[in-house]
Amino acid sequence: MPDTFGVAHFESRATQAPDMTIEYLKRASKTPETETATAQQVVNDMLAEIQRGGEDAVRAYAGKLDKWTGPIVMSEQDIDTVIRDVPASVRADIDFAARQVYDFARAQRDSIHDFSTELHPGVIAGQRVIPVNVVGCYAPAGRYAHIASAYMTVATAKAAGVGHIVACSSPYRGGGIHPYVLYAFKAAGADTIMTLGGVQAIASLAYGLFTGKPADVVVGPGNKFVAEAKRALFGKVGIDVFAGPSEVAVIADDTADPAIVASDLVGQAEHGHESPAWLFTTSRVLAEDVIRRMPALIDALPPTARDAAGSAWRDYGEVIVGSTREEIAEISDRYASEHLEVHARDLDWWLGRLTCYGSLFLGEETTVAYGDKASGPNHVLPTKGAARYSGGLSVHKFMKTLTWQRMSREASREIGLVTARISRIEGMEGHARTADDRLLKYYPGESFDLGAPVEI
């Protein structure tokens, strides 16, 4: 098949190994970085204005961008009024999914624990694992009402034991927060809920506007402007991941069902116009079959999803054929996809071999949509190659591993001698003297080798 989809290719992500025999049946014409510069400028201007104007600036942006002039912080009475009419079946599904997320996060929490250990006679050191005090959770509500994002973030923070959880979501289609999103926030355990979207929501969470509780960590997915706001505020607050458009990759061999593979690629491409969908396969026959199926599956979607998936597949979709599963694994690790499905033989081999992905879905029986909505592991995941060095949102994002130490005077003697000498080798006389003073106090009259005094 001729390349009619542009020139962006695998080498743009990583240099291809000289002995690899891969073939592109479809190449992307754009990358997730294409639209970054404009978003950065818009976000920087908005954050500067919010820093100057505070809550008044946020209200102005809410009115201008979301047509929202109502209360920002929702009262318990307002929340109860909105969620009163949420159908029982919807409540049951949200409750089930939120419990799955909470239980998985709680298991993650239980995997780390406080401890103490004697490193040297008389030297006791340890760690405490404690939650941060305030977390801001964002759930977008633009093209879709992101119900799952509401409980993914809040339930995980709740499982960590966070003291206060502030949740935000955009006004939905001219009204307040979507009732189902609001119910998800409430069911998952949010303490404060605000009707705010976009950059102004992220800034309000970070600065503690309207609540007086600046967030220690701000989490949740969003569009490129939300992602840039989190990037710009990182350092003042912790964030979950440097997020871009949602990504999916499918690894498939000749045992895979092309209809299921194509369905899963389309299912994720509907996230947005800039959402990459990639197929890595050892089977050219399967690859060509999947490519043939994609247009009809996209055309069968409702209008909003059809528009997003069509653009995403046209501009960002890629299909790569490799000769061996080792080549495919290497390609996959270089792309480091947010979501990675494996439809192939010997799933345990792939589990042991693959190293770079946000979340892994092994076998046809599971799919990204299950992870996005209800299976348990978090769906807030790294994109744009960040899975090379980072995992997704987990309970650990809300936990601080703090160290402590104490020691006997006998241990202080040995540690102090080494500290004094190393400090002087480094040229840090002040450090050395804190050890000298203790040795002089605890062992008066003794002579020690403390190293040569610092002359610089």
Side-chain angles (χ1 to χ4, degrees), residues 101-122:
V101 174
Y102 179 89
D103 287 349
F104 186 82
R106 190 67 211 182
Q108 288 180 320
R109 171 65 183 87
D110 293 343
S111 74
I112 53 175
H113 52 83
D114 296 359
F115 73 83
S116 63
T117 184
E118 189 170 33
L119 298 170
H120 183 82

Side-chain angles (χ1 to χ4, degrees), residues 93-94 96-98 100-101 145-149 151-152 268 270-271 368-377 379:
D93 285 343
I94 291 174
F96 172 85
Q100 292 285 105
V101 174
H146 289 271
I147 299 165
S149 293
Y151 54 74
M152 286 282 173
Q268 288 302 298
E270 77 169 348
H271 268 286
V368 173
Y370 292 179
D372 275 352
K373 309 304 178 187
S375 56
H379 80 187

Side-chain angles (χ1 to χ4, degrees), residues 5-38:
F5 296 93
V7 296
H9 51 74
F10 181 58
E11 288 84 352
S12 68
R13 288 186 161 262
T15 301
Q16 181 179 328
D19 59 344
M20 292 184 72
T21 56
I22 67 168
E23 179 183 6
Y24 282 81
L25 298 192
K26 184 182 186 306
R27 291 182 177 180
S29 60
K30 297 181 179 180
T31 69
E33 288 77 16
T34 304
E35 307 296 329
T36 298
T38 300

